[in-house]
Amino acid sequence: MKLIRSRLHRLGWVLLALLWVGGPTLAAAQPNKPAKKSNKDEVVTITTSQGVIRLVLFDDTPLHKANFLQKAKSGFFDGTTFHRVIPDFMIQGGDGNSKDSDPDNDGLGQSSEGTIPAEFVVGHQHNYGAVAAARQSDFVNPQRASSSTQFYLVQNHEGSHFLDGQYTVFGQVIQGLDVIDKIANLPRDARDRPLVNIKMTVKVDKLKRKKITQLYKYNYQ
């Protein structure tokens, strides 16, 4: 129990240390007829010095998917780093602050970046390789709205299921789980920041879902 309390306390700084104030919030999705599912999907490729990670984003978290793809296609993530890594837990990145030369502001977020309404979907769990959004604590963010930039990849091979239903899971790594392991186990400082910057470049490719299944053995539900 003491270990669990210690880990939860640590989470307050790991996933929630995003200090933007009063940023805009994206509008919640309106209940409409389900859109006809395309036979194509986007594959997001994150390239780092430790290797390549590829992921897909879920259709039933449309706000998070659209936001991430927009950021990726615009080049926002290029030059950002995985600024916080914890073995047997997760690696976190995407903060625009991590592009500058000041390591002390990494993870604090930017006041103008805004948030995304939570999209909790039954069945989207914190499994190994899950893609999820960081957010502020319940104390200042009772709606559990997500950061529009910072995300994390679950590295614990057994999953981090104590976070299920508390943070929006909006995608899954389909290639490069070993790269997540490498990054999580890099030497780091007392704030869990890697001693060497792990910068990323991000690109998006649109492929047929059948091709994605063939290439990466990912089965759509």
Side-chain angles (χ1 to χ4, degrees):
M1 191 65 178
K2 185 175 180 182
L3 177 61
I4 293 174
R5 285 199 300 270
S6 174
R7 172 159 284 184
L8 288 175
H9 176 73
R10 211 173 182 189
L11 284 176
W13 296 99
V14 172
L15 300 182
L16 311 180
L18 309 174
L19 305 182
W20 66 82
V21 180
T25 301
L26 299 183
Q30 298 298 315
N32 294 314
K33 283 186 177 181
K36 185 177 180 181
K37 186 173 288 189
S38 169
N39 67 347
K40 292 186 177 181
D41 198 8
E42 290 88 354
V43 174
V44 178
T45 300
I46 301 175
T47 301
T48 76
S49 61
Q50 302 299 306
V52 171
I53 301 167
R54 289 189 172 88
L55 52 92
V56 293
L57 306 177
F58 299 144
D59 292 326
D60 50 7
T61 53
L63 297 178
H64 285 72
K65 180 171 185 173
N67 172 75
F68 194 96
L69 291 175
Q70 185 276 323
K71 292 282 194 302
K73 291 175 182 178
S74 72
F76 173 85
F77 291 124
D78 294 344
T80 63
T81 72
F82 284 103
H83 63 268
R84 187 172 285 115
V85 306
I86 300 179
D88 298 320
F89 183 30
M90 60 91 223
I91 63 174
Q92 181 180 340
D95 184 13
N97 290 340
S98 65
K99 295 181 183 182
D100 65 27
S101 59
D102 180 8
D104 292 334
N105 66 12
D106 292 0
L108 298 184
Q110 299 173 332
S111 61
S112 62
E113 67 190 28
T115 60
I116 307 172
E119 294 181 294
F120 300 136
V121 177
V122 175
H124 292 344
Q125 299 181 325
H126 284 75
N127 299 320
Y128 181 31
V131 184
R135 64 173 178 83
Q136 290 178 298
S137 68
D138 289 357
F139 179 72
V140 295
N141 177 30
Q143 293 80 23
R144 296 179 171 174
S146 301
S147 165
S148 65
T149 63
Q150 295 192 54
F151 63 96
Y152 60 97
L153 309 177
V154 175
Q155 187 267 330
N156 191 312
H157 291 207
E158 303 301 319
S160 295
H161 296 295
F162 59 96
L163 298 179
D164 290 347
Q166 300 182 59
Y167 298 80
T168 297
V169 175
F170 64 99
Q172 178 64 41
V173 171
I174 59 175
Q175 186 181 62
L177 291 170
D178 59 320
V179 178
I180 300 177
D181 290 341
K182 288 178 185 178
I183 294 173
N185 287 287
L186 290 171
R188 63 197 196 280
D189 64 19
R191 296 190 304 138
D192 296 314
R193 186 181 186 280
L195 298 182
V196 176
N197 285 341
I198 307 301
K199 294 185 178 182
M200 68 180 84
T201 57
V202 181
K203 72 171 185 173
V204 179
D205 296 298
K206 198 160 192 175
L207 301 174
K208 289 185 177 180
R209 292 176 188 249
K210 183 177 180 181
K211 186 69 172 179
I212 293 171
T213 297
Q214 291 174 343
L215 289 174
Y216 306 112
K217 312 305 179 187
Y218 177 73
N219 293 314
Y220 287 91
Q221 300 301 314

